[in-house]
Amino acid sequence: MIPLFDTHTHDSFDVFDADRTEMMARGKEKGVIGKIQIGCDISSSKNAINVAMEYENMWASVGIHPCSVLSLKEFPKIEDELEELLKKYPQKIVAIGETGFDFFHEDTPEIRFLQENSLLQHCHLATKYKKTLVIHTRNATEESILFFRLHREKLPKRGVFHCFGEDLVFANFATQELGYALGIGGTLTYKKNEHIRDAVQKTPLEFLVTETDAPYLAPQSYRGKRNESSYMTEVVELIADLKNIPVEKCAEQLVQNAKNIFQIPL
Ligand SMILES: [Zn+2]
């Protein structure tokens, strides 16, 4: 058994309501030693904290997913609400997000404006509270690069491009230019994703962390099923294979990276 750390999961979602405790136990049996529960809006951020409080070795990230930014029209100062949570649970919350750009589901000038505004607020909070930024980017490679270059001086020190799906050029930008990490999950194992495998192979291991994005994006052998942290072994094995190093060594380094990047007291 190899140690696993899931840096991005949504175990608070309803889809786990019926068997959450069993799922957590399965993870433990498969080597999962820690997880970060990710929020996508105010209520799921609160739920993420609750799950992180209920189970052992869990932490939380609070934020507004780019696909949920329309709520910002009602609460333009989302920062204040997130800050309240940060003040209340300073030890449990290790990151801010997920935040970022997503023009896959909807792409209008209004959405672009709201997403950029939201991302800026998340950056500000992460900097102020010295937390790690959890970044989502989909159909928005150019916009993400532009944003992070333009706002260089406002960026928090630590960040992760979660569910990394871009190519080596973007990987180099994220790791070498920003010093941020890449979150690697089930999509690494999908047949068509040669570009992700290429980027992972050529990116120094220190810049990689593992994640599930559960309940989504189960690795190839579980594809289409509800994802969970115990399936991460398949991803770690493939990373070790791409890096041509023993799987135990690879797994240990990936756990260490997660602890460093999220400053996990474990
Ligand atoms: Zn997610």
Side-chain angles (χ1 to χ4, degrees):
M1 191 172 74
I2 54 169
L4 304 166
F5 196 107
D6 191 348
T7 60
H8 191 116
T9 184
H10 304 280
D11 296 347
S12 71
F13 284 10
D14 301 355
V15 65
F16 292 111
D17 279 355
D19 64 342
R20 187 170 293 108
T21 297
E22 291 88 329
M23 183 272 290
M24 296 290 189
R26 262 197 308 278
K28 243 182 173 175
E29 265 167 43
K30 290 282 180 186
V32 178
I33 61 163
K35 300 197 199 194
I36 300 173
Q37 301 293 340
I38 308 284
C40 298
D41 54 30
I42 292 294
S43 87
S44 71
S45 292
K46 288 178 181 164
N47 294 340
I49 295 167
N50 289 339
V51 170
M53 306 275 278
E54 193 177 338
Y55 296 91
E56 227 186 345
N57 295 334
M58 307 246 166
W59 291 269
S61 180
V62 295
I64 313 294
H65 192 285
C67 294
S68 303
V69 292
L70 282 174
S71 65
L72 291 174
K73 286 205 293 188
E74 287 165 62
F75 310 104
K77 287 295 280 177
I78 210 72
E79 210 176 321
D80 296 345
E81 296 207 35
L82 294 176
E83 191 160 20
E84 231 173 84
L85 295 174
L86 277 160
K87 285 181 178 156
K88 208 164 162 192
Y89 307 98
Q91 314 294 331
K92 271 288 156 190
I93 300 171
V94 294
I96 306 294
E98 52 188 305
T99 177
F101 294 118
D102 189 321
F103 306 132
F104 177 77
H105 296 101
E106 206 181 335
D107 186 1
T108 61
E110 184 189 30
I111 281 285
R112 284 180 176 244
F113 173 80
L114 291 171
Q115 288 185 359
E116 183 170 5
N117 184 270
S118 172
L119 178 51
L120 270 173
Q121 294 190 53
H122 284 75
C123 286
H124 182 240
L125 265 189
T127 306
K128 185 172 171 186
Y129 286 87
K130 297 188 170 63
K131 304 290 181 185
T132 307
L133 190 67
V134 175
I135 309 147
H136 168 110
T137 178
R138 188 162 185 199
N139 278 30
T141 308
E142 293 302 314
E143 291 82 356
S144 292
I145 291 177
L146 260 173
F147 176 93
F148 285 98
R149 279 206 177 126
L150 190 64
H151 297 291
R152 200 56 225 267
E153 79 290 353
K154 291 181 190 155
L155 301 181
K157 278 210 173 66
R158 290 168 277 111
V160 174
F161 283 92
H162 117 81
C163 189
F164 174 74
E166 272 76 21
D167 58 5
L168 181 63
V169 175
F170 191 88
N172 285 337
F173 164 73
T175 61
Q176 307 309 307
E177 205 172 313
L178 302 178
Y180 284 4
L182 311 179
I184 307 298
T187 54
L188 179 76
T189 64
Y190 300 170
K191 252 190 203 112
K192 63 173 170 68
N193 287 341
E194 200 50 56
H195 62 289
I196 305 181
R197 288 186 285 277
D198 177 61
V200 164
Q201 185 168 44
K202 292 170 183 155
T203 298
L205 186 58
E206 286 68 31
F207 288 100
L208 306 180
V209 290
T210 45
E211 63 167 67
T212 53
D213 205 15
Y216 313 113
L217 301 171
Q220 190 61 42
S221 40
Y222 300 95
R223 203 154 174 195
K225 289 191 182 155
R226 185 188 71 176
N227 199 6
E228 61 177 62
S229 311
S230 60
Y231 300 165
M232 271 192 313
T233 309
E234 189 173 334
V235 174
V236 176
E237 282 170 354
L238 180 51
I239 297 174
D241 197 41
L242 290 166
K243 296 284 185 198
N244 201 16
I245 55 174
V247 67
E248 293 78 13
K249 194 180 155 203
C250 182
E252 270 165 34
Q253 183 63 53
L254 288 165
V255 168
Q256 192 55 51
N257 296 347
K259 288 195 218 168
N260 294 344
I261 289 157
F262 289 94
Q263 312 248 292
I264 300 287
L266 189 68

